[in-house]
Amino acid sequence: MKTSVSSARANAATIVALTEAEPADRLLDAAAAPSDNTVQVQRARAFAEPLLAGQPLDTGEDALEHADGVAVILEGIGAAPSMRAAAYLVYAGDYLQKPEEVVSKAFGPSYASLVMHTRKLVQIQRAAREAQFDGEQRALQTERVRKMLLAFSRDLRVVLLRLASRLQTLRYFAAQKQPCPQALARESMQVFAPLANRLGIWQIKWEIEDLAFRFLQPEQYKTVARLLDEKRIEREQQVEAFRQRLAEQLNSHGIAAEVQGRPKHLYSIWKKMQGKSLGFDRVLDVRALRVIVADVPACYAALGLVHQLLPPLADEFDDYIARPKANGYQSLHTVVLDDAARPVEVQIRTRAMHEHAEHGVAAHWAYKEAGVKGYAGSVAADSDFDAQLAEARKSVLRQLLAWERDFVGQDRPLDAPAVADAGATFDDRIYVFTPQAAIVELTAGATPIDFAYAVHTDLGHRCRGARIDGAMVPLNTALKNGQTVEVTTAKEGGPSMDWLNADLGYLHSPRSKAKVRAWFNARAQAETIARGREAVERLLQRIGKTVVKLDDLASQLGFRQADALFEVVGKDEFSLRTIETLLKPPEPLPSVDEVIALRKARPEGESPKGGVLVVGVESLLTTLSRCCRPAPPDAIGGYVTRGKGVAIHRSACSNFRQMAQRLPERVISVAWGVPRAGKDALYPVDVVVEAADRQGLLRDISEAFSKDRMNVTGVKTQSVRDSGGSTAFMTFTVEVADAARLAQVLRMVGQVSGVRAVRRK
């Protein structure tokens, strides 16, 4: 090894000398070497050493020593030489002007992409760790970092490098006996340990947990360590004696088995003590063995022999072979009492089951990650993301390492089968950053406007421009994982109607689209309320009632607040005459003389004007109300007015009902008269039409009326734009002798292209 290191340093010296002359080309020539797998790590180290030696990382570590430690950790989990070589290239990239180009020419595009993704991930994590969050925001940020670690990159080699790097950093602080930054230790416990757990890399998972536990809760760590150390030698001797005895018994009964002592880690012991409220002596698996046999029958044979040798504890047996866990984990678990009545946990499994569990395919992280409360029965991994992850990571670690070994020396794209399949399940989500390093989760395909609405609704409304990683981009640019997005806003204003145009691609998220529609709806409502307020205030000024409180007026009319009254008035759904009637002093009923004065002479046998007879009174002046426009054979009622005779309303008219409720003594019975022979009376009736606006719509509807020989005396139209185009609201005033004829006409109008609804007002 000394010879190799000396040779590497000599090569590095050559690289440095050449770099001073022609940094780009000669650096590549010096790095070039035979592609033999055994020299890949030395090549990478020789390439990186002059760049890393003496350079401190942000944690205080020497960059070259850190890379050496990462390479050793990767070797310990069986990573191929190419991945260990990448550990040096990743950190060397920080000191190259064009790292992707240089590494690609020297080592190939596969290394270049790995360096690019890993460096980007390091930058993102550092920014997220440096940002300050408290309470719920910090917990949400941590969960998003966990998701982003896997969703950010399709190449899971990046994740393995980050795991090894974090473990090496924790080892550095432990070896130096320095306090580890709390943010880094907390991220290690909440992000990296669960990530290693999900991938089933147990030796990394347990060591990260124990070291993070040591820095986050030093007193509890010392307590558990002291409890273990007090009886360590005695306990190890007991476990070793029991292991040898069990191995001999299995061998003597013809069961070929490997019996291992299973270590129990400090954090695991403390978590179980807290979760189950146990004392140290009651943690049953402090003394633990694992028996590995050839096949399933041998598992049950070994179980029977264990129970024959030592008494098992009741309720401490689990058969995960007959009933595998949901994640596929299989093994037999039992707890027996040794000769001194001390509990010993024994796990029995086949070699295939052992490999399956140890390499992450059946890692039982669902309850392990539940934390302290997980042992009390809570469910930890019940989110859609966890379900996707559990499905996606099947065999991923073994496939990844095998892929590395099978294609060493070949330049493979990032969408190699094992890698692409693992990342495909995360294509529906992306994770980007605010300038303050807060992670924002978006749907894939989201734009800067979607990002702005995800941060805050008002930010989305005022969004006018965006920068991605410092560069100005159009607002319909699709965002990618790991980008930092900064939004430029106007001081006031709102969204553009163009944002709702799907062809322009400004919005991708349904939530953002709903917020834009809500803004336009609110603005339309505000305009309607303003129009109604103006009409009401103008009326109050005309009748000299400006001192009336608008909220009190609305309450008297049955509305909760004044804006509700203004809205219906602005929509022409409430008559101002009702307000005027309410505010004017009650008028006395007309005297007999007044009623006689209202009589009008008419030829004998002729029906009164409007074809209405007032029951019990001849020739009384009547007027047809414009608010409901009654026509035969509508049910009608009369209301005696001052100086204008009897106003005729339809019985179902809301205005008539309100007036009748306030002044029932003014209501008078009326009936339709019989028109004079040869002279059919015509009555104006309002018809309301809602349709998709288009050219020629008014003409087509008018033709439908004319086909039925119905005279149109007035038309009011209004067009409103919405997300689906423009909607036209039309009110036609037509003359009919009999309202019953309207049904046929309404059917004909409803058949006109674009008409959505038609009704009598």
Side-chain angles (χ1 to χ4, degrees):
M1 182 62 185
K2 291 182 179 179
T3 303
S4 299
V5 173
S6 300
S7 175
R9 291 181 175 173
N11 292 338
T14 303
I15 293 173
V16 172
L18 294 174
T19 304
E20 294 175 354
E22 296 178 2
D25 296 333
R26 295 197 177 183
L27 180 63
L28 305 181
D29 293 338
S35 60
D36 188 355
N37 297 348
T38 59
V39 300
Q40 287 186 84
V41 179
Q42 285 100 350
R43 285 185 59 217
R45 195 181 191 284
F47 178 85
E49 185 175 6
L51 301 171
L52 300 181
Q55 295 290 346
L57 300 179
D58 62 331
T59 57
E61 303 169 79
D62 180 82
L64 183 61
E65 293 179 2
H66 181 82
D68 287 335
V70 171
V72 170
I73 292 172
L74 290 172
E75 184 178 11
I77 64 171
S82 57
M83 192 179 296
R84 304 202 300 275
Y88 294 100
L89 302 180
V90 166
Y91 295 100
D94 289 335
Y95 304 98
L96 296 171
Q97 290 186 349
K98 296 181 179 179
E100 292 178 57
E101 180 180 340
V102 173
V103 173
S104 179
K105 289 182 179 180
F107 294 90
S110 180
Y111 281 103
S113 64
L114 180 58
V115 169
M116 176 190 69
H117 282 72
T118 307
R119 290 183 66 244
K120 181 66 175 177
L121 197 54
V122 170
Q123 294 168 3
I124 291 172
Q125 288 179 265
R126 183 180 297 122
R129 191 167 61 247
E130 291 174 354
Q132 298 297 320
F133 299 99
D134 295 323
E136 184 177 346
Q137 284 188 333
R138 187 172 66 190
L140 180 61
Q141 182 79 347
T142 298
E143 179 59 23
R144 286 174 175 170
V145 169
R146 290 174 62 187
K147 294 181 180 181
M148 178 269 298
L149 270 165
L150 288 182
F152 174 76
S153 173
R154 292 177 180 274
D155 192 344
L156 288 179
R157 295 175 301 170
V158 175
V159 179
L160 295 179
L161 283 168
R162 293 304 304 134
L163 285 171
S165 174
R166 177 50 54 89
L167 176 56
Q168 175 58 29
T169 296
L170 293 174
R171 286 179 176 179
Y172 164 78
F173 284 111
Q176 296 295 319
K177 296 183 179 180
Q178 295 180 7
C180 177
Q182 290 294 291
L184 189 144
R186 185 166 49 247
E187 185 184 65
S188 300
M189 179 67 80
Q190 297 176 353
V191 178
F192 284 91
L195 179 59
N197 194 11
R198 293 183 181 196
L199 292 175
I201 314 174
W202 301 117
Q203 62 227 64
I204 291 182
K205 172 194 183 296
W206 292 121
E207 191 169 355
I208 287 179
E209 282 186 339
D210 280 358
L211 290 172
F213 178 41
R214 171 180 177 175
F215 296 125
L216 290 173
Q217 297 172 285
E219 294 303 320
Q220 291 86 336
Y221 177 88
K222 291 177 182 178
T223 298
V224 177
R226 186 167 57 252
L227 291 172
L228 283 174
D229 287 340
E230 286 177 353
K231 300 181 179 180
R232 177 184 298 275
I233 297 176
E234 177 186 354
R235 186 172 57 255
E236 289 178 353
Q237 291 175 348
Q238 295 166 356
V239 171
E240 177 60 21
F242 187 80
R243 188 195 69 78
Q244 293 180 2
R245 177 186 174 190
L246 181 57
E248 293 172 358
Q249 290 290 336
L250 290 169
N251 184 57
S252 64
H253 285 75
I255 301 175
E258 177 185 347
V259 183
Q260 304 172 345
R262 191 169 69 85
K264 194 65 178 178
H265 297 267
L266 298 180
Y267 179 70
S268 177
I269 293 174
W270 179 82
K271 188 169 62 172
K272 180 165 288 190
M273 291 170 62
Q274 296 298 312
K276 288 189 174 182
S277 299
L278 299 176
F280 179 76
D281 293 337
R282 296 182 59 199
V283 178
L284 302 181
D285 52 351
V286 170
R287 302 171 182 84
L289 296 177
R290 180 175 292 138
V291 178
I292 301 174
V293 295
D295 51 31
V296 172
C299 289
Y300 289 100
L303 176 67
L305 182 58
V306 169
H307 285 177
Q308 181 179 345
L309 292 174
L310 297 168
L313 284 181
D315 301 326
E316 294 294 338
F317 170 70
D318 293 295
D319 188 348
Y320 295 120
I321 294 179
R323 295 182 301 277
K325 292 187 178 182
N327 57 18
Y329 175 83
Q330 289 184 292
S331 186
L332 297 176
H333 290 195
T334 186
V335 177
V336 296
L337 297 177
D338 64 10
D339 295 335
R342 292 179 293 257
V344 180
E345 184 189 57
V346 180
Q347 295 181 356
I348 305 172
R349 59 179 66 155
T350 66
R351 174 63 62 181
M353 294 174 188
H354 180 65
E355 294 297 325
H356 189 70
E358 290 299 300
H359 290 91
V361 183
H364 46 300
W365 52 269
Y367 74 90
K368 292 288 188 181
E369 281 185 23
V372 168
K373 295 183 179 179
Y375 287 98
S378 66
V379 178
D382 56 353
S383 67
D384 291 339
F385 169 79
D386 287 329
Q388 290 180 349
L389 181 59
E391 180 65 24
R393 68 181 179 76
K394 289 181 178 178
S395 301
V396 70
L397 182 59
R398 287 189 294 178
Q399 291 177 15
L400 182 61
L401 298 179
W403 176 76
E404 276 289 290
R405 295 188 186 98
D406 292 343
F407 297 95
V408 163
Q410 300 183 29
D411 294 332
R412 296 286 292 174
L414 288 179
D415 57 352
V419 178
D421 290 344
T425 55
F426 307 108
D427 284 346
D428 61 336
R429 310 300 297 171
I430 62 171
Y431 301 87
V432 297
F433 285 85
T434 69
Q436 294 75 35
I439 299 175
V440 178
E441 181 177 353
L442 301 169
T443 56
T447 66
I449 303 178
D450 291 313
F451 166 84
Y453 276 110
V455 174
H456 195 281
T457 301
D458 184 61
L459 185 68
H461 289 338
R462 296 186 293 111
C463 177
R464 295 295 180 270
R467 288 184 175 86
I468 296 179
D469 294 334
M472 290 293 297
V473 297
L475 287 177
N476 57 358
T477 303
L479 301 177
K480 297 179 181 179
N481 269 316
Q483 292 178 328
T484 298
V485 185
E486 182 180 359
V487 173
T488 304
T489 60
K491 290 184 178 179
E492 57 184 16
S496 167
M497 185 64 74
D498 289 339
W499 292 0
L500 293 174
N501 188 335
D503 295 333
L504 299 179
Y506 284 106
L507 295 175
H508 182 80
S509 166
R511 182 170 176 264
S512 301
K513 295 176 183 177
K515 289 187 175 183
V516 173
R517 292 192 188 98
W519 187 90
F520 282 108
N521 291 339
R523 188 175 69 167
Q525 184 183 34
E527 292 174 354
T528 301
I529 290 174
R531 188 165 57 248
R533 175 187 286 272
E534 182 181 359
V536 171
E537 290 178 344
R538 192 165 54 243
L539 169 67
L540 296 178
Q541 187 174 12
R542 179 171 61 82
I543 65 177
K545 298 290 185 179
T546 55
V547 297
V548 174
K549 292 184 178 180
L550 297 177
D551 285 333
D552 293 342
L553 174 62
S555 178
Q556 291 177 10
L557 293 171
F559 297 95
R560 292 185 177 180
Q561 54 186 2
D563 282 353
L565 170 63
F566 301 150
E567 185 174 1
V568 295
V569 171
K571 292 180 179 178
D572 293 329
E573 295 178 354
F574 191 84
S575 174
L576 291 174
R577 184 170 296 178
T578 304
I579 301 176
E580 184 177 359
T581 302
L582 172 67
L583 296 178
K584 281 187 175 181
E587 299 177 3
L589 284 172
S591 64
V592 175
D593 292 338
E594 289 176 323
V595 172
I596 294 174
L598 291 174
R599 286 174 175 268
K600 284 192 174 182
R602 57 182 171 82
E604 186 177 353
E606 183 178 336
S607 296
K609 183 179 180 181
V612 180
L613 294 174
V614 180
V615 177
V617 181
E618 291 290 336
S619 302
L620 189 65
L621 174 65
T622 60
T623 57
L624 298 178
S625 172
R626 296 184 62 183
C627 64
C628 59
R629 293 196 185 277
D634 293 336
I636 56 176
Y639 185 83
V640 178
T641 66
R642 186 178 183 84
K644 296 182 181 180
V646 179
I648 308 302
H649 292 264
R650 288 157 62 184
S651 298
C653 176
S654 60
N655 289 340
F656 177 69
R657 288 182 174 179
Q658 291 178 7
M659 292 184 296
Q661 185 177 6
R662 287 195 301 271
L663 298 170
E665 65 273 11
R666 285 180 174 267
V667 177
I668 190 170
S669 297
V670 295
W672 295 108
V674 179
R676 188 176 179 181
K679 292 187 178 181
D680 292 337
L682 296 178
Y683 300 89
V685 175
D686 288 338
V687 175
V688 179
V689 178
E690 179 185 344
D693 201 2
R694 60 176 175 82
Q695 188 173 3
L697 176 64
L698 179 60
R699 179 199 60 211
D700 293 344
I701 296 177
S702 299
E703 287 180 356
F705 284 115
S706 63
K707 285 182 181 179
D708 204 63
R709 298 181 180 181
M710 190 164 287
N711 185 36
V712 179
T713 61
V715 180
K716 293 181 181 178
T717 65
Q718 182 181 6
S719 182
V720 178
R721 293 189 63 186
D722 55 26
S723 59
S726 296
T727 300
F729 297 92
M730 302 179 176
T731 301
F732 293 84
T733 302
V734 298
E735 291 182 334
V736 297
D738 187 346
R741 286 190 57 203
L742 275 179
Q744 177 182 349
V745 178
L746 296 182
R747 283 196 298 271
M748 294 179 61
V749 174
Q751 294 174 359
V752 174
S753 174
V755 173
R756 298 170 181 167
V758 56
R759 61 179 176 84
R760 179 183 175 185
K761 185 175 179 182

